[in-house]
């Protein structure tokens, strides 16, 4: 069995911490022992404990590759979408990647989102999908979660007749997409299950679907025409169009932690970051990524979230409805995580002559470095706040320490790295145009920097 782990979306209902630069699955708000972990790290840890991680690849979009590598491992295989186009194109591209690598058409492929929250027993259900596929000859086998209450947040799988003597699986009668509460309750009375987005198929099945659609099934060819693929979900394009499908029931803990009310239910503490809750602020939570303290005084049942992109104060019971509000107030993301560390935009100004000034707080993780690069439209000034490291300017290395200031003029090739501890600095960029288009990268390998002319 091979696994395709889907990592996409922006999670606007977890604003202001979740955005296009750092979607919800990367937020380190869960607890494992003494360490905080993200949804992604939790799922990966569970797969490792179950012995399934070594057979997994990621399907991701945007800048998520660096986030995955920084949170998990640099040895993970990641299939990047050229652009975000929903789950059918993403899964098709990942499947074509496996096929082009020589994976047999009879190999079973399981698809799983990385932003679900479940017990370890849920992970143990994944190998059962292979058994159902082999025993039934069906095209798709799914995991359905037994609901503990009606919910408008999930799609539903309506089981048909029981096709196994041991009641291990059912045929699927139909699917219902996010009904209202009344209809959800009626579906549950019929035995309907939450659709958690975990399913399996033989690799040859999706390859044949691509062939019938007149689409290439070799990776590079499919990637080259990715922008022309239908912007549609895998459920609509594939799962709902076959009659040969089966579902196994999972009766345990599973949640989509896509809103602040559901996410805070699984937090080990009512406070993350600097904050204070008085004893009368019952059932309130503070999630604070700023250096300033946040206090809640005698206000019960609220959630306060603060970060570089904004501050949210919401009644817990109304937290699910913030998505439309976010569209009115959100700003371009100010916080960014990279393989080498993280950075926060502190200020961005443009003077009357059109000269931009961008000020950032940059933290380079111990032992890591930014790439060797140069700019033609801006210069940079680095002021070291804490830690020690090395800087490379036009192939020449120099040690740096707290209090040092380095000026990188336009056209100077440069890189900087942290040594045994994190290196914190304030970076000021000044120029006619500030952006990725003015960044020419030569290498990420620190040792190769002086040899590049």
């Amino acid at each position: 069995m091979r696994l395709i782990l889907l990592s996409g979306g922006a999670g606007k209902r977890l604003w202001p911490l979740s955005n296009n630069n750092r979607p919800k699955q990367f937020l380190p708000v869960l607890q494992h022992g003494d360490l905080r972990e993200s949804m992604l790290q939790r799922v990966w840890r569970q797969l490792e404990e179950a012995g399934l991680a070594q057979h997994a690849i990621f399907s991701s979009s945007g800048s998520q590759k660096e986030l995955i590598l920084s949170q998990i491992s640099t040895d993970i295989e990641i299939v990047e979408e050229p652009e975000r186009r929903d789950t059918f194109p993403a899964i098709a591209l990942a499947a074509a990647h496996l096929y082009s690598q020589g994976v047999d058409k009879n190999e079973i492929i399981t698809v799983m989102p990385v932003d679900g929250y479940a017990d370890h027993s849920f992970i143990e259900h994944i190998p059962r999908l292979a058994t159902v596929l082999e025993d039934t000859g069906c095209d798709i086998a799914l995991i359905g979660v037994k609901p503990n209450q009606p919910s408008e947040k999930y799609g539903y799988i309506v089981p048909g007749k029981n096709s196994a003597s041991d009641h291990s699986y059912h045929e699927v009668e139909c699917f219902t997409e996010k009904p209202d509460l009344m209809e959800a309750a009626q579906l549950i009375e019929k035995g309907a299950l939450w659709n958690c987005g975990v399913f399996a198929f033989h690799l040859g099945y999706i390859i044949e679907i691509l062939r019938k659609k007149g689409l290439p099934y070799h990776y590079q060819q499919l990637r080259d025409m990715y922008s022309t693929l239908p912007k549609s979900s895998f459920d609509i394009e594939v799962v709902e169009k076959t009659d040969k499908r089966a579902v196994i029931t999972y009766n345990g803990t599973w949640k989509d932690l896509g809103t602040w009310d559901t996410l805070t239910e699984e937090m080990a503490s009512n406070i993350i970051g600097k904050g204070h809750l008085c004893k009368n602020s019952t059932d309130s939570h503070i999630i604070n990524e700023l250096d300033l303290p946040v206090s809640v005084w005698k206000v019960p049942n609220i959630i306060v979230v603060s970060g570089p992109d904004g501050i949210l104060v919401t009644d817990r019971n109304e937290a699910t409805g913030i998505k439309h509000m976010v569209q009115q107030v959100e700003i371009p993301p100010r916080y960014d995580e990279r393989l080498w560390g993280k950075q926060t935009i502190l200020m961005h100004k443009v003077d009357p002559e059109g000269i931009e000034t961008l000020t950032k707080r940059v933290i380079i993780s111990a032992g890591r470095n930014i790439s060797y690069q140069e700019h033609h439209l801006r210069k940079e000034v680095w002021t070291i706040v804490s830690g020690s490291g090395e800087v490379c300017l036009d192939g020449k290395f120099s040690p740096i320490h707290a209090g040092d200031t380095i000026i990188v003029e336009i056209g100077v090739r440069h890189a900087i790295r942290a040594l045994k501890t994190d290196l914190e600095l304030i970076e000021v960029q000044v120029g006619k145009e500030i952006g990725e288009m003015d960044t020419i990268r030569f290498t990420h390998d620190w040792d190769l920097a002086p040899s590049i002319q």
Side-chain angles (χ1 to χ4, degrees):
M1 175 185 284
R2 301 293 186 97
L3 271 71
I4 297 175
L5 303 178
L6 298 179
S7 178
K12 295 296 180 69
R13 289 185 176 88
L14 292 180
W15 183 88
L17 301 191
S18 178
N19 54 45
N20 288 326
N21 283 358
R22 184 182 58 163
K24 63 178 181 177
Q25 60 266 30
F26 299 101
L27 299 178
V29 292
L30 302 176
Q31 198 77 23
H32 178 61
D34 296 330
L35 300 175
R36 286 190 6 218
E37 65 180 1
S38 65
M39 302 177 207
L40 170 76
Q41 290 169 322
R42 175 186 167 87
V43 167
W44 186 255
R45 173 175 55 80
Q46 291 175 320
L47 291 173
E48 285 187 318
E49 292 169 353
L52 297 174
Q54 64 266 34
H55 304 298
I57 66 171
F58 280 85
S59 169
S60 74
S61 59
S63 59
Q64 292 188 20
K65 180 177 181 178
E66 286 196 38
L67 283 167
I68 294 170
L69 294 176
S70 65
Q71 291 203 0
I72 305 294
S73 167
T74 56
D75 297 327
I76 297 170
E77 194 171 3
I78 301 173
V79 179
E80 290 185 274
E81 291 182 88
E83 59 182 78
R84 191 174 294 164
R85 297 198 67 78
D86 217 322
T87 54
F88 172 69
I91 294 169
L93 188 66
H97 170 78
L98 292 172
Y99 183 66
S100 297
Q101 283 191 326
V103 176
D104 192 272
K105 287 184 178 181
N106 291 320
E107 184 73 55
I108 291 173
I109 309 299
T110 296
V111 176
M112 178 180 179
V114 298
D115 55 0
Y117 182 91
D119 290 339
H120 185 75
S121 58
F122 180 85
I123 304 297
E124 293 174 344
H125 275 59
I126 292 175
R128 288 182 55 198
L129 292 173
T131 303
V132 173
L133 282 175
E134 298 297 349
D135 289 351
T136 64
C138 64
D139 296 326
I140 300 279
L142 307 97
I143 296 179
V145 177
K146 188 175 179 61
N148 54 17
Q149 61 183 7
S151 174
E152 300 172 298
K153 295 188 298 183
Y154 309 130
Y156 286 75
I157 303 170
V158 181
K161 65 179 182 179
N162 187 355
S163 299
S165 57
D166 59 357
H167 305 284
S168 58
Y169 64 87
H170 289 77
E171 292 181 2
V172 174
E173 181 178 308
C174 64
F175 297 87
T176 300
E177 183 63 24
K178 295 182 180 179
D180 59 34
L181 287 177
M182 182 178 295
E183 186 182 0
Q186 293 171 349
L187 288 169
I188 291 173
E189 289 181 5
K190 297 178 181 178
L193 307 168
W194 285 337
N195 188 351
C196 60
V198 179
F199 52 86
F201 50 82
H202 287 95
L203 178 59
Y205 176 66
I206 186 65
I207 297 300
E208 181 62 15
I209 286 176
L210 292 174
R211 188 190 68 78
K212 288 181 178 179
K213 287 179 175 288
L215 298 171
Y217 42 83
H218 290 284
Y219 171 72
Q220 193 58 53
Q221 293 175 335
L222 189 61
R223 195 178 195 280
D224 289 344
M225 62 172 296
Y226 198 77
S227 63
T228 68
L229 297 181
K231 211 169 188 179
S232 181
S233 73
F234 194 86
D235 283 351
I236 292 174
E237 289 291 326
V238 178
V239 179
E240 295 178 9
K241 291 182 178 179
T242 177
D243 296 326
K244 299 170 63 178
R245 55 207 181 190
V247 61
I248 59 175
T249 301
Y250 171 69
N251 188 7
T253 299
W254 178 87
K255 291 182 179 181
D256 176 5
L257 304 184
T259 58
W260 283 117
D261 60 323
T262 56
L263 183 54
T264 52
E265 289 174 358
E266 303 305 330
M267 285 169 43
S269 169
N270 286 54
I271 301 175
I272 291 179
K274 294 182 179 180
H276 172 77
L277 287 171
C278 75
K279 62 181 181 180
N280 300 101
S281 299
T282 53
D283 293 325
S284 289
H285 279 78
I286 294 172
I287 303 96
N288 181 18
E289 288 194 339
L290 301 178
D291 288 334
L292 298 172
V294 173
S295 296
V296 176
W297 185 255
K298 295 185 179 181
V299 185
N301 208 47
I302 68 166
I303 299 171
V304 181
V305 188
S306 58
D309 291 351
I311 297 172
L312 171 71
V313 181
T314 178
D315 182 281
R316 170 184 300 281
N317 297 325
E318 301 298 329
T320 57
I322 72 167
K323 187 173 183 179
H324 299 298
M325 176 273 296
V326 172
Q327 295 174 354
Q328 302 175 45
V329 303
E330 68 178 335
I331 59 177
R334 288 177 170 261
Y335 178 82
D336 192 16
E337 285 187 25
R338 300 290 183 90
L339 183 57
W340 48 260
K342 54 190 177 182
Q343 57 186 358
T344 304
I345 295 174
L346 304 178
M347 183 173 60
H348 183 205
K349 290 189 174 182
V350 183
D351 71 12
E353 282 73 42
I355 300 300
E356 294 185 63
T357 302
L358 183 69
T359 305
K360 296 180 179 181
R361 179 190 183 192
V362 178
I363 299 177
I364 302 174
S365 301
R368 295 190 175 179
N369 62 273
I370 66 169
S371 61
Y372 192 49
Q373 57 188 257
E374 71 174 327
H375 315 289
H376 293 286
L377 299 174
R378 72 174 187 256
K379 76 173 185 179
E380 297 179 349
V381 180
W382 301 336
T383 301
I384 309 304
V385 177
S386 64
S388 59
E390 278 186 296
V391 64
C392 180
L393 300 177
D394 279 340
K396 296 180 180 180
F397 294 103
S398 301
I400 50 174
H401 305 280
D404 290 346
T405 298
I406 300 97
I407 298 177
V408 182
E409 297 290 353
I410 291 175
V412 172
R413 297 180 180 187
H414 57 279
I416 184 171
R417 76 164 173 171
L419 295 179
K420 294 182 180 180
T421 60
D422 290 353
L423 181 68
E424 182 176 348
L425 59 105
I426 299 297
E427 176 182 273
V428 180
Q429 302 176 0
V430 183
K432 296 179 180 178
E433 184 176 325
I434 294 174
E436 282 296 307
M437 296 296 290
D438 185 39
T439 300
I440 302 171
R441 291 185 173 84
F442 299 101
T443 181
H444 291 276
D445 191 326
W446 180 263
D447 295 327
L448 291 179
S451 65
I452 295 176
Q453 301 299 322

